[in-house]
Structures are given as C-alpha cells and as structure tokens.
Amino acid sequence: NPVTIPASLVDCLTREVDTTYAECEEEGLMISKAFEARTVELNSSLKALVVKPRSRCFCSNDECPMWVFDASQPKAKLIFESSMAGLLAFSDKSTRGLPDNRVSGGLHSHGYEVRYVWDGAEYQEIYNQVWVWNPDRKCNEADIEELKNGKWVKTSNVCLNI
C-alpha cells in the first residue's frame, strides 16, 4: 500500500529532480503529489521506502527514476537510486545483511539488467547486461560486464536463451 512521503524526502526529491521538475511543474504537478512511496522490509530491522513517480512526466518510455531510502532513522537516508528503471526488484540473496537488488527494463527486441549488492554503506553495481535481438543468430545478443575479484570483466556477443 502507498504511504505518505515524509517532508524530508519531499525536499530530497525536489533536489534530485530539480531540472526535470521545472518542466513537470509547468504541467501543474506538485512534487509532494507527483511521487508515491511503498514500504519494503529489507531485513528484520530495516524498513525502507521505495519512491517512484506517479506522473509519466518524470519518465522516458517505461523507464522512471526510483529511489530507496532507509526509513528506520529519524531522517531518512538515500541508500539506492536509479535514474531510469523499468523494474526494481529485491532478491532473496543478501550481501552484508541487505538483499541484493536488480534494475531491468526494455522490450522484446532490446533490454538491460543491472545488479547491485550492499557494501555496508550503499548499493554497488556488480553486473551490467545490455542485449539486443539478433535475427541472424535468432537470440538476444548481450554485452555483459561483471565485477569479479575487484575487477570488471567484459564479455561481448553472448547469445542469451530467454
């Protein structure tokens, strides 16, 4: 169920979307009403607020900015943000006490997936995949970057069976 966004988060969101908000404000949007928040339990002691736009004004196609705030403190703290996401999902797998997360989006002909893990202070990217349909190979062909042993390893032209 949607929850009321605390005033401190409205101020933070106003700063985050300042340039975009100016354009949306012309459409008559109020920042306090332009977003929705949902509570997510990240672990037994941490509740977070996932915030996303209600209005398409902040979005591009089906990709919208999303923020995750640690709501367990008196002043909510930003712990994750994605400038554009089709879907934000939390995993059953966790790292350092918080669930890993994944941002993905796209269409049948192209898309992306980015995975993140908690490093103790913030979510860090560990995996990035961008794919496009290749009619000659009859598969989704991907470029994948993974963080392995502290170094980014890139693999190109991988044929995905989706």
Side-chain angles (χ1 to χ4, degrees):
N1 293 334
V3 297
T4 303
I5 299 175
S8 62
L9 292 191
V10 172
D11 293 342
C12 179
L13 290 169
T14 302
R15 287 189 301 276
E16 287 285 324
V17 298
D18 194 31
T19 55
T20 306
Y21 176 57
E23 295 169 18
C24 294
E25 190 173 34
E26 291 170 9
E27 294 182 18
L29 295 174
M30 293 176 51
I31 196 92
S32 60
K33 298 193 185 321
F35 294 89
E36 65 181 19
R38 297 197 184 270
T39 303
V40 176
E41 192 171 298
L42 294 182
N43 64 28
S44 60
S45 62
L46 178 61
K47 288 191 191 259
L49 284 179
V50 176
V51 180
K52 65 178 188 164
R54 275 192 179 130
S55 167
R56 307 292 298 154
C57 180
F58 296 95
C59 306
S60 173
N61 298 320
D62 288 330
E63 310 290 311
C64 300
M66 292 189 194
W67 300 267
V68 178
F69 292 90
D70 174 350
S72 63
Q73 305 171 24
K75 185 176 180 186
K77 176 186 170 198
L78 181 66
I79 59 173
F80 177 78
E81 70 179 299
S82 176
S83 60
M84 290 290 149
L87 174 70
L88 169 63
F90 290 96
S91 172
D92 290 336
K93 183 176 183 259
S94 66
T95 304
R96 293 183 181 83
L98 290 185
D100 300 350
N101 76 38
R102 174 176 58 96
V103 172
S104 60
L107 303 169
H108 181 68
S109 61
H110 62 278
Y112 66 93
E113 177 180 334
V114 185
R115 297 180 196 158
Y116 300 85
V117 298
W118 182 250
D119 72 359
E122 63 185 355
Y123 277 96
Q124 295 290 325
E125 182 179 330
I126 61 159
Y127 178 91
N128 185 324
Q129 175 190 106
V130 178
W131 55 268
V132 190
W133 175 252
N134 182 327
D136 296 332
R137 293 179 72 188
K138 293 184 177 37
C139 70
N140 290 322
E141 196 171 81
D143 286 338
I144 300 171
E145 292 181 290
E146 293 180 86
L147 191 59
K148 292 185 177 182
N149 299 319
K151 295 185 185 210
W152 283 99
V153 176
K154 184 172 184 172
T155 309
S156 296
N157 302 324
V158 176
C159 205
L160 304 173
N161 293 322
I162 295 180

